């Protein structure tokens, strides 16, 4: 069977587990070699779920190699532009090119906006919004230099197209990614680089099982109206559901698609 990304190279952030790991495996199955980074550490005391580890990133590497592809890994924080540039340079040195970027790294924390400390707000925005800008800033020069066009997939959220009571900072950052994606799509169009955003709803991952979600919604049950969906046969999406959209946007299946949003939320945000 023809592989959709044969000979291509993909850069993925937040690749140690969850969505990022699954994206790496799926894109490797389509023939891509992978540059994978993750912070592999706790980044905020406000995060209610366990952090990924270096062992998790090593397992991602093992699983990619099990698909017959190569991978370069680096422990890097998306708040560190130079670390991201170094990771990209290391991968390009090995593989000779860069074709696809999956800007996936992010965190979630919960609090009402006027009650959260400034550090809680700014840390999340720096990772979830500024970190995507840094990811793209680190990767795009190599894509342009290679001259092969390519695709950038920004992982936003259902909270990037609708309200998200209890995590306004998360929603603000994820809405910001839409503006970044649309503007980057315009600026990179002449280089044949497409930029799109995906918007998962509830996903079966460590973040998706954050116990702080239940605490906030129990304390403020009126917020639940923003977190319901009509597709009741799907209690939440899987990482595979999200990777299906990533494969579509990363490959020539979507060669005429740029500057758009794909929402994968069981209908949560439909109006």
């Amino acid at each position: 069977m023809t592989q959709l990304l044969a000979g291509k190279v993909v850069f993925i952030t937040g690749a140690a587990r969850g969505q990022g790991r699954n994206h790496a495996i799926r894109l490797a199955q389509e023939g891509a070699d992978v540059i994978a980074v993750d912070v592999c550490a706790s980044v905020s005391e406000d995060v209610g779920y366990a952090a990924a580890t270096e062992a998790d990133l090593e397992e991602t590497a093992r699983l990619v190699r099990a698909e017959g592809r190569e991978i370069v890994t680096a422990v890097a924080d998306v708040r560190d532009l130079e670390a991201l540039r170094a990771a990209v340079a290391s991968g390009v040195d090995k593989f000779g090119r860069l074709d696809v970027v999956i800007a996936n790294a992010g965190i979630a924390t919960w609090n009402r906006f006027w009650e959260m400390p400034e550090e809680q707000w700014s840390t999340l925005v720096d990772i979830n919004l500024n970190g995507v800008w840094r990811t793209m800033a680190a990767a795009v020069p190599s894509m342009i230099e290679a001259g092969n066009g390519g695709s950038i997939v920004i992982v936003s959220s259902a909270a990037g197209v609708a309200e998200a009571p209890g995590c306004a900072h998360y929603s603000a950052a994820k809405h910001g990614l839409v503006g970044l994606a649309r503007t980057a799509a315009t600026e990179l169009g002449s280089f044949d680089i497409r930029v799109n955003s995906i918007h998962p709803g509830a996903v079966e991952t460590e973040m998706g099982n954050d116990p702080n979600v239940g605490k906030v919604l129990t304390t403020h049950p009126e917020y639940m109206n923003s977190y319901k969906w009509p597709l009741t046969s799907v209690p939440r999406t899987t990482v595979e559901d999200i990777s299906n959209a990533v494969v579509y946007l990363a490959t020539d299946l979507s060669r005429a698609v740029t500057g758009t949003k794909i929402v994968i939320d069981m209908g949560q945000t439909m109006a």
Side-chain angles (χ1 to χ4, degrees):
M1 186 171 65
T2 302
Q3 293 177 310
L4 295 172
L5 289 170
K8 301 294 181 68
V9 177
V10 179
F11 175 44
I12 305 176
T13 63
R17 66 180 187 194
Q19 291 186 47
R21 173 187 286 174
N22 205 69
H23 301 337
I25 295 167
R26 281 292 304 279
L27 296 175
Q29 290 171 349
E30 293 297 341
D33 292 316
V34 178
I35 307 166
V37 304
D38 200 290
V39 67
C40 298
S42 175
V43 295
S44 170
E45 293 181 356
D46 296 305
V47 173
Y49 49 92
T53 66
E54 292 189 42
D56 291 324
L57 186 58
E58 291 169 2
E59 177 63 5
T60 296
R62 185 191 70 80
L63 292 167
V64 166
R65 292 188 177 110
E67 299 295 338
R69 305 313 308 169
E70 275 303 314
I71 182 170
V72 171
T73 63
V75 175
D77 191 328
V78 293
R79 292 172 293 180
D80 185 342
L81 178 58
E82 292 309 313
L84 295 174
R85 284 174 171 159
V88 169
S90 178
V92 172
D93 284 347
K94 180 175 178 63
F95 299 127
R97 61 189 294 161
L98 178 60
D99 304 277
V100 177
V101 175
I102 313 298
N104 168 76
I107 63 170
T109 66
W110 290 77
N111 208 341
R112 295 194 295 186
F113 75 87
W114 70 93
E115 295 175 331
M116 68 176 63
E118 183 175 358
E119 182 181 359
Q120 183 179 2
W121 178 284
S122 60
T123 296
L124 184 141
V125 171
D126 200 19
I127 293 169
N128 289 16
L129 177 57
N130 301 342
V132 173
W133 169 77
R134 293 186 192 97
T135 298
M136 295 167 65
V140 162
S142 293
M143 298 176 75
I144 292 174
E145 183 178 356
N148 299 311
S151 174
I152 298 173
V153 181
I154 293 175
V155 181
S156 180
S157 168
V161 295
E163 78 286 352
C167 54
H169 53 339
Y170 184 86
S171 186
K174 295 299 189 177
H175 271 80
L177 292 178
V178 176
L180 176 58
R182 290 171 62 87
T183 301
T186 300
E187 294 181 352
L188 293 173
S190 61
F191 300 101
D192 198 28
I193 297 172
R194 298 177 295 105
V195 186
N196 296 283
S197 58
I198 62 172
H199 299 262
V203 186
E204 185 61 48
T205 61
E206 287 80 0
M207 182 189 292
N209 289 308
D210 183 350
N212 286 338
V213 179
K215 293 176 183 177
V216 167
L217 296 182
T218 298
T219 304
H220 306 286
E222 68 275 17
Y223 296 169
M224 277 298 300
N225 289 330
S226 297
Y227 298 106
K228 295 179 179 178
W229 48 86
L231 196 60
T232 55
S233 62
V234 184
R236 65 177 64 195
T237 58
T238 67
V239 290
E240 196 68 14
D241 293 321
I242 313 308
S243 290
N244 288 337
V246 168
V247 169
Y248 170 70
L249 290 175
T251 67
D252 285 344
L253 292 174
S254 60
R255 69 185 186 90
V257 179
T258 196
T260 196
K261 306 185 292 289
I262 293 183
V263 182
I264 315 146
D265 69 350
M266 298 84 72
Q268 174 187 327
T269 61
M270 70 177 183

